[in-house]
Amino acid sequence: MKRTSRDIRTANRYEVLRQIIAESPTSRQELAAATGLSLATVATLVGELLDLGMLTEVGFEDSAGGRPRGLVAVNASGGALIGVDIAETYVRVELFDLALNVLARADEDMRPGESRPVQVVGHVAAAVGSVVAQAGVEGARVLGVGVSVPGQVDRATGIAEYAPNWDWHDVPLLDLLSEHISYPLYLDNPLRACAVAELWFGAARGRGDAVVVNLGTGVGAGLALGGGLHRGVSNSAGEWGHTTLVLDGRLCHCGNHGCVETYVGAPGIMLNLRELSPRSPLLHPEDQTATIDALARGVAAQDPVAVKVVRDTARYLGAGIADLVNLLNPEVVVLSSWVAAALGEPLLEEVREAVARHALRRPLAATEIVLSPIPTDPVCLGAATFALEGALSSITQKAGQRNNRRTWSKQ
Amino acid sequence: MKRTSRDIRTANRYEVLRQIIAESPTSRQELAAATGLSLATVATLVGELLDLGMLTEVGFEDSAGGRPRGLVAVNASGGALIGVDIAETYVRVELFDLALNVLARADEDMRPGESRPVQVVGHVAAAVGSVVAQAGVEGARVLGVGVSVPGQVDRATGIAEYAPNWDWHDVPLLDLLSEHISYPLYLDNPLRACAVAELWFGAARGRGDAVVVNLGTGVGAGLALGGGLHRGVSNSAGEWGHTTLVLDGRLCHCGNHGCVETYVGAPGIMLNLRELSPRSPLLHPEDQTATIDALARGVAAQDPVAVKVVRDTARYLGAGIADLVNLLNPEVVVLSSWVAAALGEPLLEEVREAVARHALRRPLAATEIVLSPIPTDPVCLGAATFALEGALSSITQKAGQRNNRRTWSKQ
Ligand SMILES: [Zn+2]
Ligand SMILES: [Zn+2]
């Protein structure tokens, strides 16, 4: 698939806005230096973003002689973005300003079994209505809604092709949502949401190649390569959870045996615990979150069973991450999502040791392994970022036709 | 690592020349359509390549009304490129014209144990001298020499950091070679040589994302993502051979256990055979090539042991390739190098079945698995391509200073 001039313009627009969000205020000259783009290109892109009201002029830089340089910053109130995290047991929705600050949040719990598409869509619609009302933004200011749903999704058609935990097959999720929500909608999955959040705002920002390892109920690896998300030819890249780690090992819901996910996803970690100590009080058989939290507290209290389970889990995880390091030679590997957040530093340390035992010297030396630095829900943030990217790529304005109207193409 | 304007210009230059080599003669308008670049950009790049003598004008296209369009083609005699394949048991050198036709070839056998850097360098220098003499090209016309050496290499410094089969550590190979060879030298490894050969001339050309699985004594996966080679942050991406396929499995020379390479590299396949049938007449204990060839003949004759060994090998290989398909969602997976060439279609069919058993439905449906279509030594071709890329990226000419001098920057 060739990269067209249009793709390159869109990527440059991302790059410039990303840099401005990270460092505001800034000058066009600083942006050119930071992005490697020409000053003329930067000036054109900044002009577009100013016309759209996404940036604002904030005065001039002090300059020792020479012409003073104009400074621009994100116009935080120039629009709102909504991120939706549809998980197995809850729906969380956050509304952001254009500087990606959270202005409002709504959570909806889903009872076990409450997993029919129409039920899930009802929860999402209610929560989206709630955040818009809470934040008091005008509807016209909402630039888009990014929606993350587990499993394999077709972004182009808005179809949730396969969600293993709910047995969803080819659910036309965006069509269903658009009956309740009138803003532009963008569908993707949590793997890629976490990766794009790290790329714009987290540990992958400004790094050449990053792997964002997502540790939750499901497991995956979002790939941020060459400064952009690697989606693959049909937007399903990152399904690292179904990598064979133990040939003929544990049966996975994908039908394969020995997948990484069956050892390091939350249910896999519960099984690691059960195999070690079947009657452990740490085990809450029907509750993944409670079990992972109990393990975290156990490690903090130096409970030997908890320590051993985290070490065993890190051993599997380290072997798998070493494979990613050998294959992709990334600058950074980020551990993200709720299991990584709950097990934190003790897991990170064991993982670093395990990766060092398995990876080749040269790629290992070039790779840093870190916990995600994003303090809020990375899936909501990433989903909102998809909406931001969508808005940026739907700019139809031509450089020659610039005027003060704000022009967004319709979805 | 940011992609600078200069990187983008170089990538565009590759893209345009690649397209012209694939389809000559062609017009600037066709090139713009095929590459997605603007006509102005294409015209500038074609102008540079014409000035350098790499292209030639070959008349005008018939055109029903309107201005006739000028046609350009590769100027095959505009320069020569040399590709060097340093393997465990031989050195092969090929000299190419600019259309990448082989004009001359020289092979040097290396006796077992003849693996000191100075010995290897002597063979390379002799073979390079031989091809230049055979082809009768003037030295000034040789644009560069690409050198592929197994293991981990530092392209920037020209150091062979680690070659496991020879126990080389930090050998300053390009410095040693430059004492004998005065052309610009470019060092890389066979993984990336095979990948770049497929990208320019083989099954990955015009594909968005491709994985080139290299099956030889060593095993790896060259990654051609987004139309370019994915090198990783320290040029060591592609070390898929050291992916853990069987936790605690066979010991690998990398120190890890259960690496893919220990099951599907030539020595691994010999071990698969030995475990199945220790006294098989197919087994030539000291000769990988003879054993693989005997297996290929055995499969053709429906020898049950040979069929079983190829099936077992394909089962390991298929599990490993399914992991690549799940992780990277490529458009094409190419089986390359001498083991793949020797075992051919029977291996390919078994691999396709094994991948289908392991991979997820969505990425599997988007991926084609093929044998390399490159009829000559892909490592020599890829090494020569590195020299071509090096020549294209060292163009110092500025658009404003164009004249008829041919300007190449010094190495
Ligand atoms: Zn699986
Ligand atoms: Zn290994």
Side-chain angles (χ1 to χ4, degrees):
Chain A
M1 212 165 314
K2 61 205 180 196
R3 201 153 175 260
T4 64
S5 305
R6 187 183 156 83
D7 297 336
I8 292 171
R9 271 199 307 278
T10 299
N12 290 345
R13 209 176 275 142
Y14 292 179
E15 186 73 20
V16 164
L17 185 59
R18 197 181 291 162
Q19 185 63 29
I20 298 174
I21 291 174
E23 282 191 49
S24 268
T26 184
S27 66
R28 291 164 184 78
Q29 289 78 4
E30 283 172 347
L31 286 168
T35 59
L37 298 168
S38 72
L39 187 55
T41 301
V42 167
T44 302
L45 297 171
V46 166
E48 286 176 1
L49 296 169
L50 282 166
D51 289 350
L52 291 164
M54 299 178 86
L55 300 183
T56 177
E57 315 244 25
V58 293
F60 293 90
E61 196 172 41
D62 285 341
S63 127
R67 260 173 73 191
R69 295 169 165 188
L71 294 174
V72 292
V74 175
N75 179 17
S77 58
L81 300 160
I82 294 175
V84 177
D85 174 8
I86 302 178
E88 274 79 7
T89 58
Y90 63 86
V91 169
R92 167 170 290 174
V93 174
E94 292 181 342
L95 185 145
F96 300 82
D97 67 18
L98 279 192
L100 277 297
N101 301 304
V102 179
L103 300 185
R105 176 178 298 137
D107 286 293
E108 301 258 324
D109 284 333
M110 290 192 291
R111 291 183 304 277
E114 198 184 12
S115 64
R116 284 190 299 124
V118 66
Q119 295 172 315
V120 171
V121 165
H123 284 298
V124 172
V128 167
S130 165
V131 294
V132 172
Q134 285 177 57
V137 298
E138 288 172 55
R141 296 252 315 285
V142 177
L143 302 182
V145 180
V147 178
S148 164
V149 67
Q152 294 176 47
V153 300
D154 188 324
R155 292 170 82 217
T157 60
I159 289 175
E161 292 201 332
Y162 176 54
N165 289 289
W166 293 331
D167 204 31
W168 281 13
H169 293 274
D170 296 323
V171 172
L173 192 61
L174 282 203
D175 279 354
L176 296 172
L177 285 168
S178 67
E179 292 171 15
H180 303 270
I181 298 171
S182 58
Y183 314 121
L185 288 160
Y186 303 90
L187 187 69
D188 218 312
N189 79 4
L191 275 188
R192 282 180 291 272
C194 286
V196 84
E198 295 298 334
L199 185 62
W200 277 77
F201 311 107
R205 201 173 65 74
R207 304 293 188 103
D209 300 311
V211 175
V212 181
V213 172
N214 212 304
L215 297 174
T217 303
V219 167
L223 308 177
L225 305 179
L229 210 52
H230 173 75
R231 296 184 169 280
V233 67
S234 59
N235 193 43
S236 75
E239 292 291 349
W240 171 72
H242 302 287
T243 294
T244 303
L245 188 61
V246 183
L247 204 68
D248 303 321
R250 292 180 183 168
L251 179 63
C252 179
H253 61 75
C254 77
N256 202 351
H257 285 262
C259 293
V260 170
E261 183 169 303
T262 64
Y263 297 90
V264 308
I269 296 174
M270 289 171 74
L271 188 50
N272 298 344
L273 171 57
R274 190 177 292 127
E275 287 183 356
L276 183 69
S277 174
R279 293 165 191 284
S280 168
L282 301 170
L283 192 64
H284 298 67
E286 299 301 317
D287 192 335
Q288 297 175 19
T289 318
T291 306
I292 299 296
D293 286 345
L295 277 170
R297 284 192 305 271
V299 170
Q302 310 216 352
D303 174 296
V305 169
V307 168
K308 179 80 163 64
V309 169
V310 169
R311 185 164 295 157
D312 288 350
T313 301
R315 179 169 173 264
Y316 292 118
L317 194 52
I321 290 175
D323 295 346
L324 292 171
V325 168
N326 288 346
L327 181 66
L328 296 169
N329 187 203
E331 200 172 340
V332 63
V333 175
V334 187
L335 305 185
S336 179
S337 202
W338 66 271
V339 171
L343 298 178
E345 288 289 338
L347 177 71
L348 178 66
E349 279 172 34
E350 295 283 351
V351 165
R352 282 178 174 155
E353 283 178 31
V355 173
R357 285 196 300 273
H358 284 90
L360 298 173
R361 188 175 58 91
R362 185 174 169 86
L364 180 69
T367 299
E368 198 185 354
I369 305 176
V370 301
L371 293 171
S372 170
I374 293 174
T376 57
D377 182 334
V379 179
C380 283
L381 180 61
T385 308
F386 286 130
L388 178 59
E389 290 191 347
L392 290 175
S393 40
S394 66
I395 297 175
T396 54
Q397 216 170 25
K398 297 286 188 304
Q401 317 171 318
R402 271 202 268 141
N403 53 35
N404 285 322
R405 275 183 302 126
R406 295 177 187 182
T407 313
W408 302 95
S409 73
K410 294 282 174 212
Q411 263 301 289
Chain B
M1 213 166 309
K2 62 205 178 198
R3 201 153 174 261
T4 65
S5 305
R6 186 184 157 84
D7 296 336
I8 292 171
R9 272 201 306 278
T10 300
N12 290 345
R13 208 176 277 142
Y14 291 180
E15 186 73 19
V16 164
L17 185 59
R18 197 181 291 162
Q19 185 63 29
I20 298 173
I21 292 175
E23 282 190 48
S24 269
T26 184
S27 67
R28 292 163 183 80
Q29 289 79 2
E30 283 171 346
L31 286 168
T35 58
L37 298 169
S38 72
L39 188 56
T41 301
V42 167
T44 302
L45 297 171
V46 166
E48 287 176 1
L49 296 168
L50 282 167
D51 288 350
L52 290 164
M54 297 178 88
L55 299 183
T56 177
E57 316 243 25
V58 293
F60 294 88
E61 195 172 39
D62 285 341
S63 129
R67 261 173 73 191
R69 295 169 164 186
L71 294 172
V72 293
V74 175
N75 179 18
S77 60
L81 300 160
I82 295 175
V84 178
D85 174 9
I86 303 179
E88 274 80 4
T89 57
Y90 62 86
V91 168
R92 167 170 291 173
V93 174
E94 291 180 342
L95 185 144
F96 300 83
D97 66 20
L98 279 193
L100 277 298
N101 301 304
V102 179
L103 300 185
R105 175 178 299 139
D107 286 292
E108 300 258 325
D109 284 332
M110 289 192 291
R111 290 182 305 277
E114 197 185 12
S115 64
R116 284 190 299 123
V118 65
Q119 296 172 314
V120 172
V121 164
H123 284 297
V124 173
V128 167
S130 165
V131 293
V132 172
Q134 284 176 59
V137 299
E138 287 172 56
R141 295 252 315 285
V142 177
L143 301 182
V145 181
V147 179
S148 163
V149 68
Q152 295 176 46
V153 300
D154 189 323
R155 292 169 82 217
T157 59
I159 289 175
E161 291 201 333
Y162 175 55
N165 289 289
W166 292 332
D167 204 30
W168 281 14
H169 293 273
D170 295 323
V171 172
L173 192 61
L174 282 203
D175 278 354
L176 296 173
L177 284 167
S178 68
E179 291 171 16
H180 303 269
I181 298 170
S182 59
Y183 313 121
L185 287 158
Y186 303 91
L187 187 68
D188 218 312
N189 79 4
L191 275 189
R192 282 180 290 272
C194 286
V196 84
E198 295 296 334
L199 186 62
W200 278 76
F201 311 107
R205 200 174 64 75
R207 303 295 188 103
D209 299 312
V211 175
V212 181
V213 171
N214 212 304
L215 298 173
T217 303
V219 167
L223 308 178
L225 305 180
L229 211 53
H230 173 76
R231 297 185 168 279
V233 66
S234 58
N235 194 43
S236 76
E239 292 292 350
W240 171 72
H242 302 287
T243 294
T244 304
L245 188 61
V246 183
L247 205 67
D248 303 321
R250 290 179 184 169
L251 179 64
C252 180
H253 61 75
C254 77
N256 201 351
H257 285 263
C259 292
V260 169
E261 183 169 304
T262 64
Y263 297 89
V264 307
I269 296 174
M270 290 172 73
L271 188 51
N272 298 343
L273 170 57
R274 190 177 293 126
E275 287 183 356
L276 182 70
S277 174
R279 292 166 191 285
S280 168
L282 301 169
L283 192 66
H284 297 67
E286 300 300 318
D287 193 335
Q288 297 175 18
T289 317
T291 306
I292 299 295
D293 286 346
L295 278 170
R297 284 192 306 271
V299 170
Q302 311 217 346
D303 174 297
V305 169
V307 168
K308 179 79 165 64
V309 168
V310 169
R311 185 164 295 158
D312 289 349
T313 301
R315 180 169 172 263
Y316 293 116
L317 193 53
I321 290 176
D323 295 346
L324 293 171
V325 168
N326 288 346
L327 181 67
L328 296 169
N329 188 203
E331 200 172 340
V332 63
V333 174
V334 188
L335 305 185
S336 178
S337 201
W338 66 270
V339 171
L343 298 178
E345 289 289 338
L347 177 71
L348 177 66
E349 278 171 35
E350 295 282 352
V351 166
R352 283 179 174 155
E353 284 178 30
V355 172
R357 284 195 300 274
H358 284 90
L360 298 174
R361 189 176 57 92
R362 186 173 168 87
L364 179 68
T367 300
E368 198 185 356
I369 306 175
V370 301
L371 293 170
S372 170
I374 293 173
T376 58
D377 182 333
V379 179
C380 284
L381 180 61
T385 307
F386 286 130
L388 178 58
E389 289 192 346
L392 289 175
S393 39
S394 66
I395 297 176
T396 54
Q397 212 169 28
K398 296 285 188 304
Q401 318 173 317
R402 270 201 268 141
N403 53 36
N404 285 321
R405 273 183 305 123
R406 297 179 186 181
T407 313
W408 302 95
S409 74
K410 294 283 177 214
Q411 263 304 286

